[in-house]
Amino acid sequence: MPRFKISSILAYWICAALLLSAALFYYPKWKQVNTEATISWDVSGYYLYLPGALIYKDLKQLKWWGAIEEKYQPGPGMGQAFQHPSGNWVMKYPMGQALQFLPWFAVAHTLAEPLGYPADGFSRPYQAAISWGSLLIALLGLWFLRKLLKEYFSDQVVAIVLICVVFGSNYLEYASITGAMTHNWLFTLYTLLIFSTVQFYRRPTFVWAAVIGLLVGWATITRPTEIIVVIIPLFWGINTWATLKNRFTFYVNNVPKISLAALCAGGMMSLQLAYWKYATGEWIVYSYQDQTFTWFPPHIEDVLWSARAGWLVYSPMMLFAVMGIFMLRKRVPEVFPTVLFVCLIALYITSAWDIWWYGGSLGQRAMIQAYPLWAFGLGAFWVWTVGRSWRKWLFVSLAGICIYLNLWWSHQAHRGGLFVGEQMTRAYMLKVLGRFDAARDWLKLLDTREEFKGAERLNVREVFTQNFDADTSSIVSPENPISGTKSLIINKENAFSPEFDLPIKSGEKGWIRASCIFRSDPKEWETWKMTQFIVRFRQGDKIVKERSIRLQRHVDGSEPKAIFFDTRLPEQSFDRATVFFWNPGSDKTVWVDDLRVELFE
């Protein structure tokens, strides 16, 4: 490597300092409220078991949840549970994460009232305890990752791997700020499982066998797809037919220990079965309801490369890990088959989930738990760079760029605000990349990927205008118009405006600019409910092309706003072009006036 060297222990403490700084000072999530609090959205779903069982003594009807939701507004509410045909409510998520939260919950519950807070499961002590507990788990996982990697790589390489994972990947986000999500905890479970597996085959004791079984079971009831981790203790260290035969002999000679591991894993998994039986009378319940997998074909390209949540787009450092996985065959051959197999299965399962972007994920959060395995790829890659001087300097420089981008994206996901979870598009991403300030107009690119970039519009021709003053339909109103005597009204009762036909012929070249003035009073904040301003081209009943923007993205309150967006005329034939407005479910009213469409080159 370049002359500057760093020990793995120093690298660990540098990484720990970054995680601590992010969690405690940069964006202390435990101090946030409502949907930004630690116990919100998915985390509140993992957590519901604890207050339900230990505070409110109600795991079936969840009658206590309404008051908590009204007071703390943690997110989707009963969306984290569903009503079973039995009439009881069932938790959407399995209980593994709640069990991991239990010690921190107990501390918070003990201290809440003495500290002057309500002992209701959601006040500040609980938020802080879950955040800080998650941070300590991250530090534990990173420590054992260091110990594990030192079994296979030099101290210098291990130091570089730790820096790359923490500074250069979305692990930073999910180990510090959003550490209460399952991925950080599973990262540590994976690390402990691999470490325990190595120790077990070195010294096969009942203790290590029990630990392995407990970790496999715990990972499975945290996220059921993590049952794939059983591959690790079964096949770790097997890379030839001879080692496979030796392993089989080992199993035969150690049946009591293998049985104990299986018993411990089964015991952990049975806790979830017992809960389902208690809540519904059934041993097996599919709690994710309409969310499921599409196995053929999976969304692999989207998971890897999409602007919405592409793993290698938002954590390009992991490209080195992907390349390094295939170098393991030469560098650390005994672990290559297992590491490769589990990583590929994890990628496949991640890609097969229908909601492949995993909510407001910064990159692919569902890949993080397997990072202890991908770290072997990073280690092999950096060993390879030692072979040539040009490799060292080239890839250290590229790694520096990856680190900068990761820190920048992490900032933009919180205080910077340029990362918009679930809604990122390639056009918007490239527009804001590397910047710290953005024009409000760029938000259009979250909805439409088209943008006229010419210096000047040529041959501008107005093809449609409507101020609604002469309109006598029920969808216009003289009450508080934006301009003139009337404005178009879009609300829950009038969800669709008329489709206004545009005198544009198929075969024409150029762009159209649709513009209007609108006011939203009050503003709709939920993106999926925002009123859409739409241009559509049809050929018969088929939609040839459609572009739209969400209006309320572009205002802060109820102020009137002039807005426009540009759409290139389609090359395909069309027989009708229209412009209209649609309210997809908001109970807020939008006033629209001075609708205009221009054709230009």
Side-chain angles (χ1 to χ4, degrees), residues 1 5-12 146-147 149-163 383:
M1 306 310 296
K5 292 187 176 182
I6 181 173
S7 68
S8 67
I9 188 65
L10 178 58
Y12 171 81
R146 171 183 167 270
K147 290 175 67 68
L149 292 177
K150 286 192 69 177
E151 300 274 351
Y152 300 93
F153 300 102
S154 70
D155 190 70
Q156 177 70 26
V157 167
V158 173
I160 294 171
V161 170
L162 295 181
I163 294 291
V383 170

Side-chain angles (χ1 to χ4, degrees), residues 563-583:
I563 193 79
F564 73 86
F565 71 104
D566 298 326
T567 303
R568 189 186 296 274
L569 292 174
E571 295 181 0
Q572 305 97 313
S573 295
F574 62 90
D575 56 21
R576 189 184 180 197
T578 61
V579 59
F580 64 102
F581 300 86
W582 171 47
N583 170 14

Side-chain angles (χ1 to χ4, degrees), residues 151-292:
E151 300 274 351
Y152 300 93
F153 300 102
S154 70
D155 190 70
Q156 177 70 26
V157 167
V158 173
I160 294 171
V161 170
L162 295 181
I163 294 291
C164 288
V165 169
V166 176
F167 281 76
S169 80
N170 57 347
Y171 175 76
L172 170 62
E173 166 70 18
Y174 291 97
S176 57
I177 297 170
T178 322
M181 296 289 283
T182 57
H183 316 290
N184 165 44
W185 295 74
L186 284 166
F187 175 100
T188 297
L189 287 181
Y190 265 69
T191 304
L192 293 174
L193 177 61
I194 303 169
F195 181 83
S196 300
T197 297
V198 172
Q199 302 308 312
F200 176 71
Y201 286 120
R202 181 174 294 160
R203 188 163 55 93
T205 65
F206 283 100
V207 171
W208 284 120
V211 169
I212 288 171
L214 290 171
L215 291 171
V216 169
W218 209 328
T220 302
I221 62 168
T222 300
R223 286 179 92 238
T225 52
E226 303 311 322
I227 196 170
I228 63 172
V229 299
V230 73
I231 297 169
I232 294 171
L234 287 177
F235 295 101
W236 192 263
I238 296 175
N239 67 316
T240 65
W241 285 110
T243 53
L244 180 60
K245 290 169 64 177
N246 291 339
R247 180 62 51 83
F248 182 76
T249 302
F250 176 88
Y251 293 153
V252 171
N253 293 335
N254 289 273
V255 168
K257 298 182 181 72
I258 305 304
S259 299
L260 176 63
L263 185 64
C264 289
M268 289 297 297
M269 296 179 200
S270 69
L271 296 175
Q272 186 64 45
L273 304 182
Y275 162 72
W276 283 331
K277 182 66 174 177
Y278 164 77
T280 70
E282 300 173 4
W283 287 107
I284 303 291
V285 176
Y286 186 73
S287 58
Y288 287 83
Q289 294 295 284
D290 58 343
Q291 297 178 359
T292 186

